[in-house]
Amino acid sequence: MGLGKVRNNKRPSGTSYTSTITTMIFIALCVLGVWMLTSNSVVPPQTTTRTATDAATDADATATSAGYSSSTTDSHNTKTINKRDSPAVFEDNPGELPDDAIKSDESSHPEDTNDNKKSQDDQKYTSSDNPKDSTDIESLTGTAIEAESNNNGKQENGAVDNNNKQNGKDNYNDHEDNIIKEASSDVQESSMTQNQQAEETTTQNQSASTNKNSAGQESQETRNDQEGNGKQKVDNHGSLQDTQNQILDEDRQQREKEKQQQQQQHEDQSQKQIQEATSGDRIEQDDAKLHSKTTQVEIQETQQNDSAMKDTSKQETKGKEEKPMEANTNDSLPGGVNSGIPKESKESKKSWKTQADQSENQKERRPGASGGQDGSIYGYTWQLCNVTAGSDYIPCLDNEKALKQLRSTKHYEHRERHCPEEAPTCLVKPPEGYKRSIEWPTSRDKIWYHNVPHTKLAEVKGHQNWVKVTGEFLTFPGGGTQFIHGALHYIEFIQEAVPDIAWGKHTRVILDVGCGVASFGGFLFERDVLAMSFAPKDEHEAQVQFALERGIPAISAVMGTQRLPFPSRVFDLVHCARCRVPWHEEGGALLLELNRVLRPGGYFVWSATPVYQTLEEDVEIWKEMSALTASMCWELVTIKKDKLNSIGAAIYRKPASNECYDQRKQDRPPMCKNDDDPNAAWYVPLQSCMHHLPVDEVERGSRWPEDWAGRLQTPPYWLNKSQMGIYGKPAPDDFAADYEHWKRVVSKSYLSGLGISWENVRNIMDMRAVYGGFAAAMKDLKVWVLNVVNVDSPDTLPIIYERGLFGIYHDWCESFSTYPRTYDLLHADHLFSKLKKRCKLVPVMAEIDRIVRPGGKLIVRDESSTIGEVENLLKSLHWEVHLTFSKNQEGILSAQKSDWRPDSYASSS
C-alpha cells in the first residue's frame, strides 16, 4: 500500500513538470509570433519607396487643409507651396500679358540668343505653383494653356524624378514668371467685375475642396491597404517582397486614378471657361483669342506647343495666324488705354484750343496714304541720306535749298527752321567708330569721342572747361564761360544772391538760353530742377549734340524772327550766361520774347560782361539794358559778384501784377493788342509788345504754383470743373484719372513687362503728351521726359509746365529740331492713327529712326490697324519688334532699333 501511495504521489509531479515545459514552449512560441507579427507590420513602411508625386500630393493636401488653395491647372506636377515665398499678386488682373510676348533687351544681341532661348524655355515649361497664378494663366490664354497642360500631363510619368531634382530651380523660375505676370498686368488691363471675381473664387474653392477630399480619400485607402497587407503578411510568413510589390502596384493605380480625376476636372473647368468666353460672360477668356506676335524664336516655340494641342486649339491658333491683330469687342486694350481712361472725347475739342488754331502761319499739310512704294510698306527700300551734314543731319535746319533762297541772315533766319517741302525718307548713318552711349550719371562727365567726333569746341573753349579731349573720351569738367570753376559753385552763387529762388522747390522749370554744352542744366538735376536748354546749330559745332549725348535735355533753336515753341508764362526762371544774344537791340524784341514765356514773379538771371566790366561797349549795353528792363517793369533785385570766377550776375524779377504797366509814363514797349494770343507759338513772328498779366484769381498765372513736388500731382488751380477734360470728365477729374492711369501702366507694365532694360534709358520723349501723366509716372527714375504737344491737339502744354514738367510744341509731319541718335526711348500714345490723316507715315518712321540711338526703344499704343502698319515699317527698318499685341481694335507695340544701315545712298536733291 505504501508503495502504491508512492506511485500515486509521483504521477502528479511528472505531469506538472511536463505541463510546465509545454506552457513555457507555448509562451515562447507566442512571444516569437508576436515579435514576428510586430516586425512584419513595421518593415513595409520602412522599405516602401514613395515617389515625388505622392509626397507632393500629401503635402498639397496638408496645405489645403491649412487654408491654401490647390492648383487645378497644373495637377500633374504639384508641389508644396510656402505662403511666405509666394510673390505678392496685384489685384488688377495680373499676368494678362502672354509670357511668350515678353522679351528682354539682351535678346537683341546675337551672341545671347541661345542663352535667352534656354531661359525662355525654362520659364515656359516651369510649373506654376502659385494657385492664383495658375488661375490667371488659365484666364489669360484659355484653351492654349489647357492644351499645354495636357501635353505636360502626358510627359509627367517619365519625368517625375527629373521634376523632383529640379524642384529648387522650378521654384525660382516660377517666382520670376509670377513677377513678370504681375508687373505686366496693366499691359492687358481687363476690368473684371466683382461677380466674375466671385465666380473665379468659387471655382478655386471647389477645386481646393475636391483636392482636399481626394487627399483624404488617399489617406484612408492607404491605411486600409496597410492593415490588409499586414494581415496577409502574418498569414504568409516569408512573402514580404510580394506584399511590397502589391502595395506599390496599388499606390500606382491610386495615383493614376487621382490623376485621371484631376485631369477630368481640369478639362471640365477649361471647357466651362471656353463656353463662358464664347458667351462674353468672362472678360479674361477673351485673351484666348488674342494674337501675340513675337520674334522668330518665340514663334518656333509656339509652333512646337501647337503640335500637342487639341483640334479646337489648333483651329483657334490657325485662325489667329491667318488674322493677325484680331480685335475683340467685349473688352478694353491691355494697359488701360480704355480702362479708366476713355478715348479722347469729341465734345472736349470744343473746350480746348490748338496751336493750329492759335498760330496764324500754321502750314497746311497735304493728306496722303500711309503706305510705302507701290503700297507695300513691308518691302520699302531705304537708302542713306546724301547730304552735306552727314551723320549730324537735321532736315529742318540743314535744308540747303531753302537757306540759299533767304534774302537776309541779319536776324539769324538761317538758324531757324526751314523744313523741306517733302519730308525726307532717307536714313542717317552714324559716324565711324560709334559705340553705345555711356550711361547716366557717368555720361555727364565723359562721352565716347567717336559718337560726337568734333574737337572745335575743345580747341576754342577748352580753357573755359567746356569740353576736353582725353584719349578716346570727351570729358566735361562742369565749367562754362561764366563758371570755369564748375557749375555747382555757380548754382550755389545764384541761390545765395536771391534765396527766394529756392532751387528745386519754388523754382522747378527753367529756360537756359545759349546753353553751350548744358553743364548748368546737367548739374541742376542734383537740385531737382529741370532746365530746357537750347542753342543754335552754328559755328560752336555740336554743342547741343554734346548735351544730349551726355544725357542732358537740349534742343537746337535760336532766338531770331519767330516765337519760341513754348506757351506763355510757364518758366519759373530764365538764365543767360554770356549767351551772346543782343537783348537791347530792335526795341528789345528778343527780351520781350523772354518776358512772354517767363512766369509772373519769375526771375531772369543775366550773367554777362556788361554787368561787371567797364569797357566802353559793355557800359553802353548796360545803360540800354537798364532802361529797357525798367520800361518793362522788371525789378533789378540784385547785382552779385562772384570772386572765384571773377564775374557778376544781374538778377531781375518780372512783375506779378499790372500796376506798374498802368503807371508807366510812356507806352514803350507797347502793350499787345487784345486779339494777340500770347500762347500762339508755332511759326508765329515775334511781337515787340507785352501782354497784360492775368488778374482773375482762377486765371493761369495769377499765382505761383505749389512747391515741388506737390505741384506734380495736384490739378492746377485754374482747371475749371465746368470745363470738359480731354477724355470727357470735368478737367480736374480728368487730370487726376490720367495720372492714376499712367502710374498703373508704368509700374505694372512698362517697367517689367515690355522687355526694356531701363538701366540704359536716360533721354525720353513722349511724342503725344496730354497732361504729362506718362512723364509724371517716371518721376522716381533717373530719366527726363520731353513732352511734345502736337499742334493739332488740345493745347495742354501749360498744364504740363504747371505741374513742374517741361515740353514743346511740334508737328510730326515735320522733322524735330534735334541731332540724330539723341533719344533712348520714344513713347507714342495714339499718335500715328491721327497723324496719318495729314501726312505719310514713311517719313515719320524715318524721323523716328533718325533721332533714336542704336539700341534705343519705341513704345506705341494705337489702333490695331495702325499698329500693323508701324510694325511692318519697323521691320523694314530692321528694328527688332519685341512685342505686338491687339485687343478690341486697340494694340501695343514695343521695338528696339538695331545697328543696321543700308548700303546705298539716295540721289542728291
Side-chain angles (χ1 to χ4, degrees):
M1 288 178 65
L3 187 57
K5 289 180 182 179
V6 172
R7 288 194 187 106
N8 290 338
N9 290 340
K10 290 182 179 180
R11 191 182 301 270
S13 298
T15 302
S16 175
Y17 176 79
T18 302
S19 300
T20 302
I21 296 293
T22 303
T23 301
M24 293 177 63
I25 293 174
F26 177 78
I27 292 174
L29 290 174
C30 290
V31 172
L32 180 60
V34 172
W35 177 82
M36 293 179 63
L37 179 61
T38 305
S39 177
N40 289 336
S41 65
V42 174
V43 171
Q46 292 177 334
T47 57
T48 300
T49 302
R50 301 293 306 278
T51 64
T53 303
D54 296 329
T57 303
D58 290 344
D60 190 66
T62 303
T64 302
S65 64
Y68 296 92
S69 298
S70 178
S71 173
T72 60
T73 61
D74 235 345
S75 59
H76 59 276
N77 194 18
T78 308
K79 294 189 282 287
T80 304
I81 304 300
N82 189 332
K83 192 171 184 178
R84 294 180 306 172
D85 297 336
S86 299
V89 179
F90 292 104
E91 295 180 359
D92 197 4
N93 295 335
E96 292 177 318
L97 182 64
D99 290 344
D100 60 356
I102 300 172
K103 183 176 179 182
S104 65
D105 279 349
E106 287 74 17
S107 63
S108 62
H109 303 291
E111 61 270 21
D112 296 336
T113 302
N114 293 334
D115 293 338
N116 286 332
K117 183 176 180 181
K118 180 179 180 181
S119 176
Q120 291 170 359
D121 290 342
D122 289 342
Q123 291 184 1
K124 193 166 186 177
Y125 293 103
T126 300
S127 63
S128 177
D129 293 335
N130 193 313
K132 183 172 179 56
D133 288 345
S134 299
T135 303
D136 290 334
I137 294 174
E138 203 168 62
S139 67
L140 165 67
T141 56
T143 57
I145 292 298
E146 174 194 355
E148 184 178 29
S149 298
N150 293 338
N151 184 34
N152 290 339
K154 294 177 181 179
Q155 299 174 357
E156 189 268 351
N157 287 337
V160 173
D161 293 338
N162 182 61
N163 287 337
N164 192 34
K165 293 177 182 178
Q166 296 295 328
N167 187 36
K169 180 179 179 181
D170 288 344
N171 282 332
Y172 173 80
N173 288 336
D174 291 340
H175 180 69
E176 290 291 311
D177 287 343
N178 292 337
I179 293 176
I180 292 175
K181 294 166 193 168
E182 293 161 13
S184 63
S185 64
D186 212 50
V187 177
Q188 296 189 36
E189 190 176 351
S190 302
S191 54
M192 179 188 292
T193 64
Q194 294 181 356
N195 291 336
Q196 292 162 347
Q197 291 179 352
E199 179 182 353
E200 182 180 35
T201 304
T202 303
T203 302
Q204 293 181 354
N205 292 337
Q206 292 174 350
S207 300
S209 177
T210 301
N211 286 342
K212 181 176 179 180
N213 294 336
S214 177
Q217 180 180 359
E218 181 198 26
S219 300
Q220 181 63 36
E221 291 178 359
T222 302
R223 288 193 295 269
N224 294 338
D225 289 343
Q226 290 178 351
E227 292 175 2
N229 290 335
K231 294 178 180 179
Q232 181 179 3
K233 291 179 181 66
V234 172
D235 297 335
N236 301 284
H237 304 290
S239 61
L240 176 61
Q241 186 63 40
D242 294 338
T243 304
Q244 294 174 356
N245 292 337
Q246 183 175 356
I247 291 176
L248 291 176
D249 291 338
E250 292 175 354
D251 287 345
R252 193 174 295 111
Q253 293 174 2
Q254 179 65 23
R255 290 197 305 274
E256 290 295 332
K257 180 179 178 181
E258 293 172 353
K259 190 184 305 178
Q260 292 174 359
Q261 291 175 350
Q262 293 176 347
Q263 187 171 356
Q264 183 62 39
Q265 292 171 1
H266 170 64
E267 291 175 355
D268 292 342
Q269 183 182 5
S270 299
Q271 186 64 31
K272 178 181 177 181
Q273 292 172 342
I274 294 171
Q275 294 172 354
E276 290 172 341
T278 304
S279 63
D281 293 334
R282 290 288 300 275
I283 293 178
E284 293 88 342
Q285 295 303 322
D286 286 341
D287 292 343
K289 299 180 181 179
L290 299 180
H291 174 70
S292 178
K293 293 185 178 180
T294 61
T295 59
Q296 183 176 1
V297 173
E298 294 169 326
I299 293 174
Q300 292 174 352
E301 293 174 352
T302 304
Q303 292 173 347
Q304 293 173 359
N305 291 337
D306 288 345
S307 64
M309 292 183 177
K310 292 183 177 180
D311 293 339
T312 55
S313 299
K314 289 182 179 179
Q315 292 173 0
E316 288 182 5
T317 304
K318 181 178 179 181
K320 296 174 197 173
E321 294 174 350
E322 292 174 351
K323 299 179 180 180
M325 314 304 292
E326 181 180 358
N328 293 312
T329 58
N330 298 331
D331 209 355
S332 60
L333 173 68
V337 171
N338 292 329
S339 177
I341 297 294
K343 291 183 178 180
E344 187 172 314
S345 171
K346 294 181 180 180
E347 290 77 10
S348 69
K349 295 181 179 180
K350 301 177 182 179
S351 304
W352 296 84
K353 295 181 179 180
T354 68
Q355 275 298 307
D357 297 332
Q358 297 172 113
S359 301
E360 297 177 1
N361 296 339
Q362 169 64 24
K363 293 183 177 180
E364 293 184 0
R365 290 289 163 186
R366 291 174 293 177
S370 58
Q373 295 176 346
D374 299 328
S376 176
I377 298 178
Y378 194 87
Y380 193 88
T381 301
W382 299 96
Q383 293 180 312
L384 294 172
C385 296
N386 189 7
V387 292
T388 305
S391 59
D392 297 336
Y393 179 47
I394 304 176
C396 291
L397 300 182
D398 293 318
N399 186 355
E400 295 181 355
K401 180 180 179 180
L403 294 179
K404 290 177 181 179
Q405 297 176 354
L406 292 176
R407 297 181 180 180
S408 172
T409 59
K410 178 181 178 181
H411 297 98
Y412 300 92
E413 292 92 341
H414 58 302
R415 306 299 184 192
E416 295 180 327
R417 291 172 58 85
H418 300 282
C419 297
E421 293 181 3
E422 293 292 334
T425 58
C426 57
L427 305 182
V428 178
K429 187 177 181 179
E432 294 294 332
Y434 181 87
K435 300 180 180 180
R436 297 293 171 89
S437 299
I438 297 174
E439 296 178 6
W440 180 270
T442 306
S443 62
R444 186 179 65 181
D445 301 324
K446 66 178 182 180
I447 62 174
W448 296 112
Y449 164 76
H450 289 291
N451 286 13
V452 191
H454 300 292
T455 59
K456 186 174 181 179
L457 271 182
E459 297 168 0
V460 176
K461 298 291 185 179
H463 66 287
Q464 297 175 355
N465 281 345
W466 278 36
V467 56
K468 297 179 181 294
V469 180
T470 309
E472 60 179 344
F473 299 103
L474 291 168
T475 58
F476 302 86
T481 304
Q482 297 298 95
F483 42 92
I484 60 176
H485 293 288
L488 283 176
H489 168 79
Y490 179 74
I491 291 169
E492 190 62 33
F493 156 72
I494 295 174
Q495 174 73 74
E496 292 176 355
V498 182
D500 287 345
I501 287 178
W503 295 122
K505 293 183 179 180
H506 184 76
T507 300
R508 163 64 181 176
V509 186
I510 74 167
L511 180 67
D512 188 17
V513 183
C515 62
V517 295
S519 290
F520 180 63
F523 282 89
L524 275 172
F525 276 109
E526 297 184 6
R527 306 297 178 91
D528 275 339
V529 176
L530 278 180
M532 172 66 75
S533 302
F534 75 92
K537 186 176 182 180
D538 57 10
E539 63 273 10
H540 286 170
E541 59 181 7
Q543 52 187 328
V544 167
Q545 191 176 14
F546 282 132
L548 288 161
E549 183 68 20
R550 297 173 68 187
I552 302 171
I555 61 170
S556 291
V558 66
M559 298 198 70
T561 66
Q562 297 175 348
R563 286 179 175 176
L564 295 171
F566 311 117
S568 67
R569 308 188 300 268
V570 290
F571 289 103
D572 303 336
L573 180 146
V574 178
H575 173 256
C576 165
R578 206 165 181 174
C579 53
R580 301 196 308 162
V581 177
W583 302 117
H584 60 290
E585 296 181 358
E586 307 258 343
L590 301 183
L591 194 63
L592 289 170
E593 173 62 4
L594 292 190
N595 185 74
R596 181 184 73 88
V597 300
L598 182 61
R599 190 181 299 278
Y603 293 94
F604 173 60
V605 179
W606 187 39
S607 173
T609 54
V611 177
Y612 57 91
Q613 289 188 357
T614 57
L615 297 177
E616 182 178 353
E617 181 182 7
D618 292 328
V619 172
E620 185 63 27
I621 292 175
W622 175 253
K623 287 182 180 180
E624 294 190 31
M625 277 290 289
S626 297
L628 177 61
T629 54
S631 65
M632 293 170 59
C633 294
W634 281 15
E635 174 192 359
L636 179 58
V637 179
T638 185
I639 298 176
K640 183 76 172 178
K641 300 292 182 65
D642 181 9
K643 296 181 179 179
L644 178 63
N645 289 307
S646 300
I647 59 101
I651 302 178
Y652 299 88
R653 186 174 183 268
K654 180 180 176 178
S657 70
N658 293 309
E659 181 179 358
C660 176
Y661 295 156
D662 297 337
Q663 296 176 354
R664 291 188 305 163
K665 296 180 180 180
Q666 294 182 345
D667 190 24
R668 288 188 303 179
M671 304 304 295
C672 297
K673 296 180 180 180
N674 293 333
D675 61 355
D676 185 88
D677 188 349
N679 294 310
W682 188 245
Y683 289 116
V684 175
L686 289 176
Q687 305 292 324
S688 296
C689 61
M690 297 186 300
H691 295 87
H692 281 93
L693 301 180
V695 294
D696 194 331
E697 292 183 356
V698 296
E699 189 175 355
R700 181 174 69 86
S702 61
R703 65 174 185 258
W704 201 267
E706 292 187 24
D707 284 351
W708 179 261
R711 63 195 283 187
L712 178 71
Q713 57 188 5
T714 304
Y717 63 89
W718 41 267
L719 273 186
N720 197 325
K721 278 187 172 293
S722 62
Q723 181 182 12
M724 181 181 293
I726 304 302
Y727 301 113
K729 297 181 180 180
D733 299 335
D734 223 35
F735 173 96
D738 177 80
Y739 182 43
E740 293 301 321
H741 162 72
W742 284 112
K743 283 197 300 182
R744 289 197 310 271
V745 171
V746 169
S747 64
K748 296 183 180 181
S749 169
Y750 286 7
L751 296 185
S752 302
L754 295 184
I756 294 176
S757 176
W758 292 90
E759 289 77 8
N760 55 12
V761 174
R762 170 64 180 174
N763 304 352
I764 301 178
M765 178 188 293
D766 192 356
M767 299 178 69
R768 183 183 169 269
V770 180
Y771 298 115
F774 167 72
M778 309 290 285
K779 178 183 76 73
D780 294 330
L781 300 182
K782 295 180 180 180
V783 301
W784 57 269
V785 181
L786 182 63
N787 296 279
V788 177
V789 172
N790 293 261
V791 296
D792 62 332
S793 297
D795 187 3
T796 55
L797 194 52
I799 297 176
I800 292 173
Y801 276 93
E802 192 77 8
R803 66 191 306 184
L805 305 172
F806 64 178
I808 191 172
Y809 293 121
H810 185 61
D811 182 359
W812 283 111
C813 291
E814 299 179 357
S815 169
F816 192 80
S817 294
T818 189
Y819 283 85
R821 306 170 302 280
T822 49
Y823 281 86
D824 299 309
L825 186 144
L826 299 187
H827 180 258
D829 180 30
H830 286 77
L831 168 68
F832 300 112
S833 57
K834 300 177 181 297
L835 193 61
K836 68 180 184 179
K837 298 176 183 178
R838 300 193 299 116
C839 52
K840 298 179 181 180
L841 281 189
V842 172
V844 177
M845 297 310 298
E847 175 66 3
I848 289 174
D849 184 88
R850 185 184 72 87
I851 67 179
V852 173
R853 292 170 172 172
K857 292 87 176 174
L858 172 67
I859 301 174
V860 181
R861 307 164 71 89
D862 217 312
E863 297 173 359
S864 297
S865 58
T866 303
I867 289 289
E869 296 179 45
V870 172
E871 179 185 14
N872 288 334
L873 276 171
L874 289 174
K875 288 182 176 179
S876 71
L877 287 164
H878 293 247
W879 283 50
E880 297 177 10
V881 179
H882 289 177
L883 166 74
T884 55
F885 191 88
S886 179
K887 187 175 186 180
N888 195 32
Q889 299 181 356
E890 300 284 339
I892 185 170
L893 176 147
S894 173
Q896 182 174 2
K897 182 179 176 180
S898 68
D899 295 323
W900 175 84
R901 295 289 88 176
D903 297 328
S904 61
Y905 282 85
S907 59
S908 178
S909 58

